[in-house]
């Protein structure tokens, strides 16, 4: 059969190629963590603290140990004997693996049962008696920093209060000067509530440590298998070559599967000590109360503006609720992630950000829930502020943005906090979205509706993200530079295997990364197998989160494919007896410039690479690339939401949601749009219903899907998607990454829409989630 | 206790503890792992199977209650004729990302189509409102179920 030669058949960049991963998933043949079964597997269940803050005076596990089928009960003391009662976090703190001294939040790990059957393991938990002595729980960061508040981290040397960290950035003096020149200062105080990524598959591990060979094969729901292997080696002292992390099919990650959790450490230690495989899969409740919370920022933003609506400066004060341990999964040099992006899409000279984090008696986490390290909070704040500033100045919120946008010719643009945005055309993006939604007509309808006592609101958010961490000069995790890799092997028959350091959790890497190779070499995407997630079989990389797969791993893929294209041209020159400079490669055909009849296919070249090479050339057609990005990429978008608010009940309904995204070059438009719809839904969720709260005793409210409301198909709005495409100038294929844009950008659009409906009443803020009772109270208070 | 459940057309006789959940029975005893578990409050629908033709959440049914019943799991959707139309529609319309919710979504969709050959968008959204998806935002799931319905209708009109 002739090799495909049309671009559509090859399925390179820009084609909506059907996903390769679907075939197994639609037949129930996926291989998720809990689907893996090894002979003699034992099952682990974790005993968790019912109290938010208490001293542990003793643990009696004798009855549990005696239960038929129980193999072992592991406590903090046992872990301590192996130096594993505590572990380092990704933000330079330490976290208890199993509590030895105190419990510091409800749901904290206290003991673990290993049994022959998961039901028995759970039964045994009830037989463990823990003698707790109540301590006063601290449930807000404000309380936590009060004089005389109980010390949560009394075990930490030198810690005399509950302050977790401080951080500041920007130019304080320049910002004060900007504020001195302002006609008005617009202030917004708002809370970005605690949320949880809640991927549909919870976290889990199957640890198989062979006590004879020392080989540790660890199946794990991991977004970053290579980094996890290195961390296991560092923390547990296992030799790295003996650790193999296998991250199988993952049922969604969204940042939840980035950290190393206590359960992973205990299961691995138990497997090592017992000599049998040990499996632990979280229940949903465990997932929601103990792993990977996100957000929880109390933010005060001030915008200095002129009467003409020009922004002069931005000042931000923040307090973050870190829970009991400071364990944000973020690059080492950063304290509040990439919050610097709070200057948004606007051109102004001065900004200053001051931030403190406090320990509380709540679960730790601080994961980047579908965002690039605190970008969601930053983007939300600036878009809410700009919208409010428009009301105060008395100009239209769209016009306010157009007056302050960074202009296309200003790129690369250095912001007041030192980020260098790569490319964009913000005015075109916003105007396109405004046209699509019919903005002027909507404003007229809004005015007419108001006259009839109906409340219509139009919310805009024009966000800019900073993704693709990141350049080695600034970005590392536990010292590991945030590079990523791709290894490409083309076989003699012209088929290929691509091995990646990043790892899909549903994003479709097996398809889109093959498309990058298809674009460069002309080997059909369907002839390229993509392998990832197994540290024994893939090159090193930092993993998939912070929208870094395409910006970093995708760049590595393009570069390695280009290396092979160069070699292919040399081989073609040899086969065609032409000069290498004259060889052109297009759609898998290498021909001599000016005489297209003299050509060979990439498949011919692949065979020649193993059979017929020019003198002195090394055999084979394969290579590996480690890519160190020169900069982050900066995707952006213009989102417009139209809502109607019922003044009697506070219930709001989304009438329209128009989302324009510019993520640079789109590798697979179908997959990009799928990612955007998913992200918009999560943004809607946070604005409307999804949050985790605590009562005054520190009991977690939101511990299951009855209390933690994630939207179903019934509540989820319909989305209208638009695109512009300004490539990233520094990325090898011009792509910027898209998986998180919609979650970052959309909450402000939804909330701004509700505020816009009530703006004429003087309402300027309702904290998320914008629940009907809060809306009703805001209307009530205003009138 | 002794039970016999017919799963995807084959009889499975086994001795189960009375408390064994149907989902655990299907996954662990029978070894069909396409049926997933995503919650512990009957909220997510990842565990959905068809029991005597009707969707049930297998995390909330005891294996003992399925004694004598006909159960269809995702592994039973494909027939000798090939993929079920709902399966090909999910691929064609990009109705799945991580694929964890997909078996449940497809079974609910298949059951809906068998009762309502021409479901409206609202019909579909209502039918799948007991199933959560964290990846797709549902748009393409809804589309896929409608595509499958149209294809089924077309092939039965044609035959
Ligand atoms: S696992 Fe059955 S509904 Fe969630
Ligand atoms: S595709 Fe991931 S939960 Fe639905």
């Amino acid at each position: 059969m002739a090799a495909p030669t049309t671009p559509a058949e090859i399925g390179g960049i820009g084609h909506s190629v059907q996903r390769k991963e679907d075939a197994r998933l639609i037949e129930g043949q996926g291989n998720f963590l809990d689907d893996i079964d090894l002979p003699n597997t034992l099952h682990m269940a974790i005993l968790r603290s019912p109290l938010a803050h208490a001293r542990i005076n003793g643990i009696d596990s004798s009855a549990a140990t005696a239960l038929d089928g129980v193999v072992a009960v592991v406590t903090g003391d046992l872990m301590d004997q192996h130096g594993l009662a505590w572990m380092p976090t990704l933000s330079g703190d330490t976290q208890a693996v199993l509590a030895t001294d105190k419990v510091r939040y409800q749901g904290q790990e206290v003991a673990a049962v290993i049994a022959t059957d998961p039901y028995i393991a759970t039964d045994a938990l009830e037989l463990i008696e823990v003698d707790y002595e109540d301590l006063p729980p601290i449930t807000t960061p404000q309380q936590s920093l009060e004089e005389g508040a109980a010390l949560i981290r009394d075990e930490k040397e030198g810690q005399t209060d509950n302050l977790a960290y401080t951080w500041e950035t920007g130019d304080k003096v320049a910002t004060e000067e900007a504020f001195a020149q302002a006609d008005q200062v617009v202030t917004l105080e708002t809370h970005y509530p605690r949320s949880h990524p809640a991927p549909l598959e919870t976290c889990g591990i199957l640890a198989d440590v062979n006590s004879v060979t020392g080989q540790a094969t660890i199946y794990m729901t991991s977004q970053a298998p290579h980094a996890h292997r290195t961390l296991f080696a560092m923390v547990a002292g296992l030799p790295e070559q003996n650790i193999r992390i296998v991250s199988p099919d993952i049922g969604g990650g969204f940042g939840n599967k980035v950290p190393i959790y206590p359960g992973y450490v205990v299961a691995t230690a138990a497997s090592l000590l017992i000599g049998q495989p040990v499996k632990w899969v979280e229940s949903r409740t465990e997932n929601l109360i103990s792993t990977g919370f996100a957000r929880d920022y109390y933010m005060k933003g001030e915008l200095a503006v002129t009467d003409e609506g020009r922004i002069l400066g931005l000042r931000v004060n923040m307090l973050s609720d870190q829970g009991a341990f400071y364990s944000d999964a973020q690059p080492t040099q950063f304290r509040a992630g990439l919050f610097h992006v709070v200057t948004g899409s606007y051109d102004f000279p001065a900004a200053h950000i001051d931030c403190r984090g406090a320990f509380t008696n709540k679960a730790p986490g601080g994961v980047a829930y579908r965002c690039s390290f605190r970008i969601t909070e930053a983007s939300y704040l600036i878009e809410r502020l700009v919208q409010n500033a428009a009301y105060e100045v008395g100009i239209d919120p769209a016009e306010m943005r157009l007056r302050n946008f960074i202009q296309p010719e200003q790129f690369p643009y250095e912001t007041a906090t030192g980020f260098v945005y790569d490319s964009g055309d913000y005015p075109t993006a916003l105007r396109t979205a405004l046209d699509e939604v019919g903005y002027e007509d909507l404003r007229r309808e809004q005015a007419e509706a108001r006259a009839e006592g109906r409340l219509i609101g139009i919310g805009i958010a024009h966000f800019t993200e900073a993704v693709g961490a990141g350049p080695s000069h600034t970005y590392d995790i536990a010292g590991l530079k945030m590079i990523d890799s791709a290894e490409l092997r083309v076989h003699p028959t012209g088929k290929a295997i691509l091995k990646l350091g990043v790892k899909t959790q549903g994003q479709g890497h097996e398809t889109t990364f093959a498309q990058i190779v298809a674009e460069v070499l002309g080997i059909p995407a369907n002839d390229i197998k993509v392998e990832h997630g197994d540290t024994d079989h893939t090159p090193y990389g930092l993993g998939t989160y912070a929208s870094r797969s395409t910006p970093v791993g995708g760049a590595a893929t393009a570069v390695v494919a280009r290396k092979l294209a160069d070699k292919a041209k040399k081989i073609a020159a040899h086969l065609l007896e032409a000069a290498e400079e004259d060889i052109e490669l297009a759609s898998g055909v290498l021909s001599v410039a000016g005489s297209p009849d003299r050509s060979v296919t990439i498949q011919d070249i692949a065979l020649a690479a193993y059979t017929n090479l020019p003198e002195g050339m090394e055999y084979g057609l394969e290579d590996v690339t480690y890519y160190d990005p020169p900069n982050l990429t900066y995707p952006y978008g213009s989102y417009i939401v139209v809502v109607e608010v019922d003044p009697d009940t506070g219930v709001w309904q989304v009438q329209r949601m128009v989302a324009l995204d510019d993520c640079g070059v789109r590798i697979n438009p179908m997959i990009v749009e799928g990612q955007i719809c998913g992200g918009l839904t999560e943004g809607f969720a946070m604005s409307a219903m999804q949050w985790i709260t605590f009562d005054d005793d520190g009991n977690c409210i939101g511990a299951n899907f009855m209390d933690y409301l994630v939207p179903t198909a019934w509540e989820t709005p319909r989305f209208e998607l638009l695109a512009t495409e300004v490539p990233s100038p520094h990325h090898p294929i011009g792509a910027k990454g898209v998986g998180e844009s919609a979650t970052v950008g959309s909450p402000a659009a939804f909330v701004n829409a509700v505020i816009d409906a009530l703006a004429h009443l003087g309402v300027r803020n309702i904290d998320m989630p914008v629940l009907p009772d809060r809306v009703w109270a805001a209307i009530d208070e205003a009138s | 206790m002794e039970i016999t459940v017919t799963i995807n057309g084959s009889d499975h006789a086994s001795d189960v503890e009375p408390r064994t959940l149907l989902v655990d029975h299907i996954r662990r005893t029978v070894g069909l792992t396409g049926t997933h578990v995503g919650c512990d409050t009957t909220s997510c629908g990842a565990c959905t199977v068809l029991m005597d033709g009707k969707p049930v959440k297998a995390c909330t049914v005891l294996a003992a209650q399925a004694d004598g019943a006909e159960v269809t799991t995702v592994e039973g959707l494909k027939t000798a004729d090939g993929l079920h139309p709902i399966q090909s529609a999910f691929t064609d319309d990009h109705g799945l990302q991580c694929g964890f919710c997909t078996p449940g979504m497809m079974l609910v969709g298949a059951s809906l189509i068998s009762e309502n050959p021409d479901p409206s968008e609202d019909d579909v959204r209502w039918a799948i409102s007991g199933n959560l998806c964290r990846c797709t935002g549902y748009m393409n799931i809804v589309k896929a179920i409608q595509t499958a319905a149209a294809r089924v209708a077309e092939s039965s009109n044609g035959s």
Side-chain angles (χ1 to χ4, degrees):
Chain A
M1 201 175 87
T5 46
T6 71
E9 286 166 334
I10 291 168
I13 291 171
H15 295 275
S16 290
V17 174
Q18 280 196 355
R19 296 200 331 160
K20 299 172 176 214
E21 32 279 269
D22 290 4
R24 63 178 184 273
L25 296 170
I26 58 169
E27 291 203 45
Q29 301 300 316
N31 188 36
F32 295 93
L33 192 277
D34 198 21
D35 303 346
I36 302 168
D37 198 18
L38 299 175
N40 301 319
T41 294
L42 300 172
H43 299 267
M44 184 172 97
I46 295 179
L47 181 73
R48 295 177 179 279
S49 169
L51 301 171
H53 199 190
R55 192 160 302 287
I56 296 179
N57 288 328
I59 300 176
D60 180 357
S61 55
S62 52
T65 311
L67 185 72
D68 221 18
V70 170
V71 177
V73 177
V74 185
T75 61
D77 285 346
L78 182 65
M79 293 299 283
D80 199 28
Q81 288 164 26
H82 299 271
L84 289 173
W86 293 81
M87 63 177 186
T89 72
L90 291 176
S91 282
D93 193 9
T94 49
Q95 172 173 1
V97 174
L98 291 178
T100 47
D101 53 343
K102 290 202 301 186
V103 287
R104 294 174 171 83
Y105 61 94
Q106 187 190 55
Q108 186 177 339
E109 297 79 0
V110 174
V113 174
I114 320 290
T116 52
D117 175 279
Y119 285 28
I120 296 174
T122 309
D123 289 345
L125 296 182
E126 313 227 333
L127 301 175
I128 302 174
E129 294 207 11
V130 185
D131 178 5
Y132 292 111
E133 179 187 325
D134 276 345
L135 295 170
I138 296 175
T139 56
T140 69
Q142 291 84 1
Q143 274 172 15
S144 167
L145 296 183
E146 272 167 19
E147 196 90 23
L151 190 61
I152 295 172
R153 299 297 302 280
D154 52 342
E155 94 296 350
K156 219 171 140 83
E157 218 166 298
Q159 182 85 34
T160 54
D161 55 21
N162 290 321
L163 192 65
Y165 70 90
T166 58
W167 172 71
E168 79 175 280
T169 195
D171 187 332
K172 195 169 182 174
V173 175
T175 305
E176 271 164 17
E177 281 165 13
F179 274 77
Q181 285 166 23
D183 296 320
Q184 284 196 53
V185 174
V186 179
T187 304
L188 173 68
E189 281 188 69
T190 190
H191 179 217
Y192 204 125
R194 185 174 273 240
S195 195
H196 195 287
L200 200 56
E201 177 204 36
T202 58
C203 302
I205 185 169
L206 171 57
D208 180 17
V209 188
N210 185 310
S211 50
V212 178
T213 64
Q215 171 68 37
T217 306
I218 296 171
Y219 303 87
M220 195 169 138
T221 51
S222 169
Q223 295 181 226
H226 290 279
H228 284 160
R229 185 188 69 198
T230 303
L231 293 170
F232 264 87
M234 288 172 167
V235 173
L238 298 168
E240 196 166 359
Q241 79 280 14
N242 284 355
I243 308 172
R244 176 182 169 209
I245 307 267
V246 182
S247 184
D249 281 328
I250 296 192
F254 316 121
N256 193 186
K257 293 167 181 170
V258 172
I260 290 186
Y261 294 119
Y264 298 164
V265 179
V266 180
T268 306
S271 176
L272 178 68
L273 295 175
I274 298 167
Q276 278 175 251
V278 173
K279 185 190 266 191
W280 170 63
V281 179
E282 285 180 327
S283 70
R284 175 58 58 190
T285 297
E286 292 184 284
N287 175 252
L288 290 172
I289 66 173
S290 72
T291 61
F293 89 86
R295 326 290 191 236
D296 221 347
Y297 266 31
Y298 293 83
M299 304 184 282
K300 178 180 178 192
E302 294 167 285
L303 213 50
V305 290
T306 67
D307 287 338
E308 293 74 45
R310 276 299 301 182
I311 302 172
L312 302 176
L314 169 70
R315 191 155 54 202
V316 182
N317 275 283
M318 298 192 297
L319 177 58
S320 71
D321 184 339
Q322 293 300 143
F325 306 104
Y326 181 31
S327 62
D328 282 29
Q330 63 189 346
T332 310
Q333 295 186 34
F334 295 80
R335 300 290 83 193
L338 309 188
F339 194 88
H340 316 65
V341 85
V342 68
T343 56
S345 310
Y346 309 103
D347 175 25
F348 58 86
H352 183 252
I353 302 153
D354 215 332
C355 181
R356 291 178 306 160
F359 293 118
T360 59
N361 290 118
K362 295 180 185 171
V367 300
Y369 168 15
R370 212 166 177 168
C371 84
S372 178
F373 317 115
R374 302 295 185 184
I375 284 199
T376 316
E377 292 90 326
S379 172
Y380 178 74
L381 182 64
I382 186 69
E383 284 308 304
R384 291 287 320 284
L385 263 173
V386 168
Q387 181 102 3
N388 280 1
Y391 301 134
E392 304 312 339
V393 174
I395 59 175
D396 184 273
E399 178 58 28
M400 177 82 193
R401 289 175 169 88
L402 288 165
R403 282 189 197 174
N404 288 284
F405 273 153
I406 299 162
Q407 295 301 311
E409 62 278 8
Q410 288 177 277
F411 291 93
Y413 175 86
E414 183 167 352
T415 69
T417 51
F419 276 18
V420 180
Y421 291 2
D422 56 352
S423 62
D425 182 348
Y426 300 158
T428 299
L430 179 55
R431 289 204 176 97
T432 307
L434 291 170
D435 284 349
E436 177 69 22
V437 82
Y439 189 67
E440 277 169 25
D441 290 344
L442 277 172
R443 284 287 174 209
R444 255 195 310 279
E445 283 168 37
Q446 179 186 39
E448 287 161 19
R450 269 183 196 165
E452 296 164 14
R454 283 169 52 225
L455 300 172
I456 303 246
I458 305 151
I460 300 175
H462 184 102
F463 66 94
T464 297
E465 270 190 292
V467 308
S472 61
H473 52 72
T474 311
Y475 295 89
D476 71 85
I477 284 190
L480 304 165
K481 300 298 186 185
M482 295 185 75
I483 47 84
D484 233 290
S485 65
E487 180 184 321
L488 180 58
R489 301 178 183 174
V490 181
H491 309 312
T493 57
K495 317 284 178 186
I497 182 164
L498 173 70
K499 293 160 174 263
L500 301 173
V502 293
K503 167 69 188 139
T504 191
Q505 308 122 44
Q507 297 92 333
H509 293 175
E510 290 165 38
T511 309
T512 52
F513 282 69
Q515 290 184 256
I516 298 173
V517 174
E519 178 72 23
V520 177
L521 288 175
I523 297 172
N526 284 327
D527 287 349
I528 302 160
K529 174 164 124 184
V530 174
E531 194 171 341
H532 52 170
D534 183 335
T535 56
D536 266 12
H537 298 293
T538 52
Y540 205 90
L542 270 273
T544 293
Y545 44 86
S547 289
R548 63 186 299 283
S549 291
T550 296
V552 193
T557 301
V559 171
V560 78
R562 285 175 191 171
K563 284 188 193 169
L564 296 199
D566 287 344
K567 183 166 182 180
K569 285 181 186 167
K570 289 193 173 72
I571 299 172
H574 162 72
L575 296 178
L576 297 171
E577 295 175 348
E580 190 194 325
E581 312 77 67
D582 292 339
I583 302 294
E584 291 170 345
L585 167 56
S587 296
V589 177
L590 297 99
S591 53
V592 181
S595 39
D597 297 350
R598 289 171 65 199
S599 69
V600 287
T601 65
I602 189 72
Q603 289 77 13
D604 298 331
I605 298 290
L607 186 61
Y610 299 88
T611 57
N612 175 17
L613 283 182
E615 189 78 26
M617 186 182 278
E618 204 177 316
Y619 279 94
L621 193 55
E622 65 178 69
D623 217 325
V624 59
T625 287
Y626 282 79
Y627 188 78
D628 181 7
N631 189 3
L632 301 175
T633 57
Y634 296 87
Y636 59 93
S638 271
Y639 293 169
I640 304 177
V641 171
V642 185
V643 299
E644 175 150 11
V645 179
D646 181 336
D648 297 325
T649 62
V651 171
W652 51 281
Q653 295 283 351
V654 176
Q655 312 286 324
R656 301 269 307 271
M657 176 6 151
V658 170
L660 180 145
D661 274 274
D662 192 318
C663 55
V665 170
R666 295 181 171 212
I667 300 166
N668 182 320
M670 172 189 83
I671 289 178
V672 168
E673 289 179 6
Q675 295 265 296
I676 292 167
C677 284
L680 292 172
T681 303
E682 298 202 34
F684 167 72
M686 275 174 270
S687 67
M689 58 181 74
Q690 197 177 280
W691 65 333
I692 291 189
T693 52
F694 294 79
D695 69 12
D696 292 344
D697 295 324
N699 294 308
C700 177
I701 317 292
N704 56 58
F705 279 153
M706 313 259 270
D707 295 326
Y708 184 62
L709 299 182
V710 305
T712 72
W714 193 248
E715 296 88 31
T716 301
R718 282 67 161 165
F719 308 120
E720 302 163 54
L721 305 187
L722 301 171
T724 55
E725 202 168 302
V726 178
S728 168
H730 66 77
H731 186 276
I733 59 167
K736 289 186 171 183
V738 74
E740 300 167 332
S741 297
T743 315
V744 170
S746 65
F750 289 109
V751 177
N752 279 342
V754 177
I755 300 296
D756 191 66
L758 312 179
H760 61 299
L761 306 173
V763 175
R764 293 291 180 270
N765 182 47
I766 300 172
D767 277 350
M768 288 194 289
V770 180
L771 300 168
D773 65 304
R774 289 178 165 185
V775 177
W776 185 87
I779 296 172
D780 191 50
E781 208 173 297
S783 44
Chain B
M1 58 188 293
E2 301 284 339
I3 60 165
T4 302
V5 188
T6 308
I7 300 179
N8 303 330
S10 355
D11 289 350
H12 293 270
S14 28
D15 186 13
V16 299
E17 268 193 83
R19 65 175 174 171
T20 306
L21 299 174
L22 179 59
V23 69
D24 290 332
H25 183 62
I26 293 170
R27 288 180 53 83
R28 293 202 202 116
T29 316
V30 183
L32 295 174
T33 55
T35 305
H36 299 146
V37 175
C39 73
D40 27 51
T41 47
T42 322
S43 310
C44 77
C47 61
T48 306
V49 299
L50 302 184
M51 196 159 116
D52 295 327
K54 293 254 178 291
V56 295
K57 291 180 172 175
C59 70
T60 314
V61 175
L62 295 168
Q65 291 173 284
D67 186 22
E70 299 252 0
V71 168
T72 305
T73 70
V74 62
E75 290 91 344
L77 276 173
K78 189 177 171 181
T79 62
D81 296 341
L83 292 176
H84 188 286
I86 197 90
Q87 291 173 300
S88 35
F90 264 69
T91 293
D92 294 345
D93 287 336
H94 188 32
L96 65 153
Q97 291 182 24
C98 78
F100 202 76
C101 70
T102 313
M105 289 288 185
M106 291 193 305
L107 287 162
V108 171
S111 152
L112 172 69
I113 295 170
S114 68
E115 284 175 10
N116 177 354
D118 183 21
S120 68
E121 177 171 351
D122 273 359
D123 293 339
V124 177
R125 284 182 181 262
W126 187 248
I128 61 170
S129 64
N131 292 60
L132 299 175
C133 175
R134 294 291 287 158
C135 302
T136 65
Y138 303 105
M139 275 209 349
N140 287 343
I141 294 179
V142 175
K143 201 166 138 196
I145 294 173
Q146 288 186 303
T147 298
R151 287 181 187 168
V152 169
E154 201 174 306
S155 67
S156 53
N157 286 343
S159 63

